[in-house]
Structures are given as C-alpha cells and as structure tokens.
Amino acid sequence: MIKLSKLMILTVIAALILSACNTNSAGQQEEKKEVNLLFNFATSSLDPNVDTSYVSLRAGITETLIHLNDETLEIEPWLAESWTSEDGQTWTIKLREDVTFQNGNPMDGAAVKASLERAMEDSAAIKNALRIESIEADGYTLTVKTTMPFPEFPSELVHPNTSIIDVTQTDFVNKPIGTGPFAVSSFTPGTAVDLTRYDEYWNGAAKLEAAKFSFNEDANARSLALESGGADIVFRPEVESLEQLEAIEGVTVESTSTFRVHQMTMNLEREVLQDLNVRKAIDALIDRESIVDTILKGHAEVANGPFPSTFTFAPDYPEKETGLESARKYLEAAGYEVVDGVMEKDGEPLALTMLTYSARADLPLIAQVFQSDAGQLGIEVTLQQIEIPEEYMAANRDWDLTTYSNLTAPRGDAGYYLNATYHPDGALNFSGADDDKVTALIDELNMTVGQQERSDIAEEIARYVDEQVYNSFILHPNTLVAYNSDKVENWVTSRSEYYMLTNELDVK
C-alpha cells in the first residue's frame, strides 16, 4: 500500500508539472492555437499527385510552383520566382532559394524535377495536362521543354496535383513531405489529418500551432458540428441550415461565387445517348430555375454553359426549348413513343442509369428531381450512389448519366476545362467525347497566346459542344462556408477552393 501511495503521489506531481507547462504567469490555462476545418469530401490518401480531393494543398501541407490570385484571376509566383519562354515550348523556371521541405531538405531544382517527374509517372491526367517532354535541373533553375508550343503551360502548374514534394520520403499516402506551413502529424484515412506548424516555413511560420482537417460527407452533420463546437470552420454546410447558422451569435456564413459548375455528364459510349435528339430531350427535362430556387435556395446561378457569365470566354447562347413537351418532341424525333405509359422505341423502353454522390448534398437532390420529371414522360431513371465519381466513371461504363460537379476555370482561363473534358486525352473526359472538330479547336487554343484570341476560340468550342449537348450544364453553385468568427481570424473563402489552411489563419 505504501508503494502504491508513493506511485500515486508521483503521478499527481507529474500531472501538475505538465499542467504548469501549459499555464501562463497569471495561473490561467493556455489553449493551443489551433482550428478544426470540416471538409465535405473524405479521402483515403494524402498523395498530392493523385488525390482528387486536393487535401494536401487545401490543408497547407503542399504548394505548387505557381499560385492563382483569387481577386485578379491571374497567376503569380509561389515556389517559382519567375518563368520565361521565347517560343512557348522551352521554359526557364527560376525557383525560390529559401524554401525547405518539412524535413529540412532544400527544395532545389533536382528535387522539383524529381517531384514533377514522379507526378507525371503516377498520374496520366497530369502527364497529359503538362505535356512535358523533358526537364533539366541546374541549381535552382529548371529548363522544361513541352511536346509542342504550349503558351498556357505555366497556368497548368497551378493544379494541386502538381504539388511539389520530397520524393525521397516515400510514404506519400500517409505523410507526404511538402513545403507548406503545416506538416502531417497523423492521418486517419476517411476521418482526418492532424497537422502541426512547420516553424521553418519560407513565407513565415503559421500563426496557428496546429490544425485538424477533418472529413464528413454528410452536410447536416457538418452543420451540426459547427453548432456544437466540434468544428470551427465548415465547408459547404447544409443549405437548409444556413438561416439557423446565421442566427447563432458568433457564426459567420459566407456565400461566394466560384468557378464551379454542376453538370449532367453523358456517357456517349452508350448507344441511346449517341442520338442528339435524346441528349436534347434530357437537357430539356432539367428545370434549372426551380433547382436553383428550391435546392440551392438561391445560392447559385443558372448555367447556360460550363463557364459563369462573368468570364469573357462565356458566349451568349441561343435560347433553348425546355420542359416536358419540348423533351417529348425531341424523343419523338428520335423515334420514341409512349406505349402504356412507357417511353419506348422498337419495343425497347427508354431506361437510364444515373450516378450521383452525397459528398455534394445538392447533387442527389438534383438527381431525384430529374428522375421524377423523366418519369412523367415514361422514362425509367435508376439512381446509383457512388463514392468517388472520378474513379468510378473512369473505371466503369455501365452508366448513362452522372450528376457531377467540376471547377471549370480555376486558373481564370478556359483551357483547363476544355482540355480536360473534351479532348480525347482529357483527364475528365468521362463522357468519352472524341470529336475531330473539337479536338482541332482545342489544339489551336493550346497554341494561342493573346487573351482575346483565346477567348474567341474558347467561345467557339463552348457554343459547338452546347449544340452537340455532349454534357448538360445545370447551375454554378456558390461556395458556402460557415465558421466561428468569435474564434477564427483571417479566414478567406477562395473562389478557386484551393487555398484553405494558410500561414495567416489565426484564432483570437
């Protein structure tokens, strides 16, 4: 008993000592400066070169060579100090010389070369986007040659999947070593990544000592987490909860226009969707105004095409016929008729499989509305929930339609979306579009320098794919963020949705 008592006393003393270490001179407990951000997409990997949730960049673990200015929509230096090219094909990139990885290793030319080559090796999408033929490193200078003249090459280096990491540290899934203000402390796939401040960060140590980047794909649960204090910042809270959140003292809700579009991706490899009139019928069935008003509660803009109307390369589209009767007319032109309440052709009913996913809570609701409207014409639409849309659509062709959300101009330029979505080699070409006219126009766009000239070509492409209805565009949603403004300082809701946990983020 005496030995046990001594042990208990020592334990208490140790606890008091630890407590004293966290107590200020006034005897008050000091709280660690940290925040918990709750994101709407879960990830099982932090690998910055392949993770489509871009968690490593958003969480401040990694950075790219070039940064997008959210206000001017122009690219600017980040890990790269400058970039030049005389012919649009051979590029000289000067790197910052004061950057180290979170393990203390220098971020020199050799390290960046290795990182970019690793990204291209592991991601076909990045290889196709960058079009790099060769990279040479000399000290803190890179010489990059692309496979063809590519004036917009620097803007591709904004993409989160081009994040620079130390490839000598190979646990990319659980602990990538980047150059950002926060290093990975621990990672629980599908749940959260715990972060700690990297004191030697080149742009000034973060104001926060630590942070947590958590995941929950349930929009209602995210809203409740903010209400209960379980989260300090919530990305895309439930739309229905916004008024309730705004009524809470100390909670700020921000609704910011962005470069995103909610679209209906069409699988052009399916025979039924190879008929333009069927695609036009599907497009006519989408009640965009009603969806914006009822599902998004006005926090969106009706989409006429992939690009928001504020962009110079967003064309004026001809007015479309919409509604049930217009859809019926297109289907009749395609040879369909209603028999005993079923839309059919040559005795075969028109039945469609539509994919959707819950990480964006409005998409399943949009899918349900479409299913209901299609049912009024005798079209059977089967809804199928998936988890990671990019992975499923790329690996499977057993679907007809997908409610999908995509950033269309995250670098303030049309080239990214048009290359990714409509070029045969595009990383996001899930529809399987392979149109010689579109491909030739995109190749021409890639070699064009002037902004007005680029806008003219982009408009022509956008109008053409709209005529062909290769995809249907529903709305441009606002980015919704709610946070505890009594605690959080210097939060910025970025239009690109790329930059979240920064070295400037702080708590009061």
Side-chain angles (χ1 to χ4, degrees):
M1 291 294 295
I2 294 176
K3 289 183 179 179
L4 180 60
S5 298
K6 287 182 178 179
L7 179 60
M8 291 177 64
I9 291 170
L10 289 172
T11 302
V12 171
I13 291 172
L16 290 171
I17 292 172
L18 288 173
S19 176
C21 292
N22 292 313
T23 302
N24 62 22
S25 57
Q28 297 174 324
Q29 188 76 17
E30 288 185 352
E31 293 185 6
K32 182 184 288 188
K33 295 180 67 175
E34 60 183 325
V35 299
N36 180 15
L37 184 149
L38 190 52
F39 193 56
N40 63 320
F41 270 102
T43 186
S44 58
S45 169
L46 295 179
D47 188 336
N49 300 140
V50 298
D51 173 28
T52 56
S53 297
Y54 309 150
V55 170
S56 287
L57 185 83
R58 287 167 165 157
I61 302 165
T62 63
E63 298 168 311
T64 53
L65 293 178
I66 297 175
H67 187 272
L68 177 70
N69 186 308
D70 253 25
E71 295 181 3
T72 65
L73 302 185
E74 295 179 352
I75 58 175
E76 58 189 16
W78 207 8
L79 294 179
E81 280 190 340
S82 65
W83 51 92
T84 57
S85 177
E86 293 183 0
D87 58 5
Q89 186 169 10
T90 300
W91 296 85
T92 300
I93 301 175
K94 300 286 188 181
L95 304 174
R96 297 188 62 94
E97 298 187 16
D98 56 349
V99 181
T100 57
F101 291 105
Q102 290 142 1
N103 57 7
N105 290 343
M107 189 210 71
D108 57 14
V112 173
K113 176 180 185 290
S115 181
L116 291 175
E117 289 178 340
R118 187 260 167 179
M120 291 187 290
E121 181 179 344
D122 282 35
S123 171
I126 289 301
K127 181 179 180 179
N128 291 336
L130 296 182
R131 305 176 185 221
I132 291 176
E133 179 179 298
S134 63
I135 307 175
E136 295 180 6
D138 181 13
Y140 287 86
T141 300
L142 292 179
T143 301
V144 179
K145 184 177 181 181
T146 55
T147 57
M148 57 186 288
F150 190 15
E152 290 303 307
F153 169 69
S155 70
E156 292 297 332
L157 296 175
V158 172
H159 197 292
N161 288 151
T162 67
S163 287
I164 304 304
I165 55 174
D166 185 348
V167 299
T168 66
Q169 307 294 308
T170 58
D171 191 1
F172 307 121
V173 169
N174 296 298
K175 196 171 184 178
I177 305 298
T179 61
F182 296 102
V184 177
S185 175
S186 64
F187 173 52
T188 304
T191 302
V193 53
D194 289 295
L195 305 156
T196 186
R197 178 170 61 199
Y198 176 47
D199 290 332
E200 303 305 315
Y201 177 55
W202 66 271
N203 202 23
K207 293 179 169 59
L208 297 174
E209 296 172 70
K212 181 186 288 286
F213 199 98
S214 308
F215 319 117
N216 195 317
E217 297 189 349
D218 186 322
N220 180 55
R222 293 196 297 274
S223 296
L224 292 174
L226 182 65
E227 289 186 50
S228 67
D232 304 305
I233 306 167
V234 171
F235 193 77
R236 297 206 67 83
E238 186 181 43
V239 174
E240 290 81 2
S241 72
L242 294 183
E243 287 188 11
Q244 182 177 336
L245 292 175
E246 288 174 326
I248 300 174
E249 185 176 353
V251 168
T252 294
V253 176
E254 294 183 353
S255 178
T256 306
S257 63
T258 183
F259 319 130
R260 182 172 292 281
V261 71
H262 283 0
Q263 68 183 48
M264 193 172 291
T265 297
M266 301 195 188
N267 183 354
L268 301 176
E269 295 178 14
R270 304 284 270 192
E271 184 177 353
V272 66
L273 293 177
Q274 291 173 4
D275 190 317
L276 176 58
N277 280 307
V278 174
R279 301 199 299 272
K280 286 184 175 180
I282 289 170
D283 187 76
L285 276 172
I286 302 171
D287 191 344
R288 294 164 173 82
E289 296 278 359
S290 177
I291 290 171
V292 167
D293 292 340
T294 60
I295 297 178
L296 274 295
K297 307 296 183 184
H299 293 279
E301 171 193 341
V302 167
N304 295 312
F307 308 115
S309 58
T310 51
F311 285 109
T312 59
F313 42 81
D316 294 325
Y317 296 96
E319 189 171 344
K320 296 180 180 178
E321 295 185 42
T322 60
L324 291 175
E325 291 310 310
S326 295
R328 189 193 308 275
K329 183 184 71 173
Y330 286 125
L331 289 171
E332 288 174 352
Y336 286 86
E337 61 179 345
V338 177
V339 178
D340 297 329
V342 176
M343 186 67 71
E344 63 176 43
K345 179 179 179 180
D346 300 330
E348 290 293 323
L350 179 55
L352 303 169
T353 297
M354 174 181 280
L355 308 177
T356 190
Y357 51 102
S358 60
R360 297 194 178 277
D362 31 345
L363 294 184
L365 299 177
I366 292 171
Q368 290 168 22
V369 169
F370 180 83
Q371 180 188 47
S372 175
D373 291 343
Q376 295 183 55
L377 283 183
I379 304 170
E380 180 185 356
V381 177
T382 301
L383 302 185
Q384 180 181 338
Q385 287 276 348
I386 56 175
E387 291 187 6
I388 304 176
E390 294 83 5
E391 289 184 7
Y392 191 94
M393 287 190 287
N396 302 278
R397 307 308 290 171
D398 58 353
W399 53 275
D400 299 292
L401 307 169
T402 305
T403 56
Y404 184 57
S405 187
N406 189 26
L407 287 167
T408 58
R411 273 87 91 188
D413 185 86
Y416 161 74
Y417 177 81
L418 296 178
N419 272 279
T421 308
Y422 296 110
H423 198 282
D425 297 328
L428 303 178
N429 187 359
F430 304 121
S431 65
D434 190 355
D435 186 310
D436 289 343
K437 180 177 179 178
V438 174
T439 303
L441 284 169
I442 292 173
D443 288 341
E444 181 183 353
L445 175 68
N446 291 337
M447 293 186 287
T448 302
V449 178
Q451 185 57 54
Q452 185 57 55
E453 291 82 355
R454 290 182 61 79
S455 292
D456 291 343
I457 298 171
E459 282 191 50
E460 184 178 355
I461 299 170
R463 276 193 296 266
Y464 180 77
V465 297
D466 177 66
E467 292 168 3
Q468 299 302 313
V469 199
Y470 287 147
N471 293 303
S472 284
F473 303 98
I474 305 169
L475 56 87
H476 301 291
N478 287 3
T479 292
L480 301 173
V481 177
Y483 61 96
N484 179 358
S485 50
D486 276 351
K487 174 182 179 180
V488 177
E489 282 190 311
N490 303 334
W491 167 261
V492 176
T493 302
S494 71
R495 296 177 66 193
S496 67
E497 302 179 5
Y498 284 168
Y499 315 115
M500 296 184 181
L501 297 185
T502 70
N503 64 323
E504 294 298 321
L505 190 63
D506 202 357
V507 294
K508 299 176 182 178

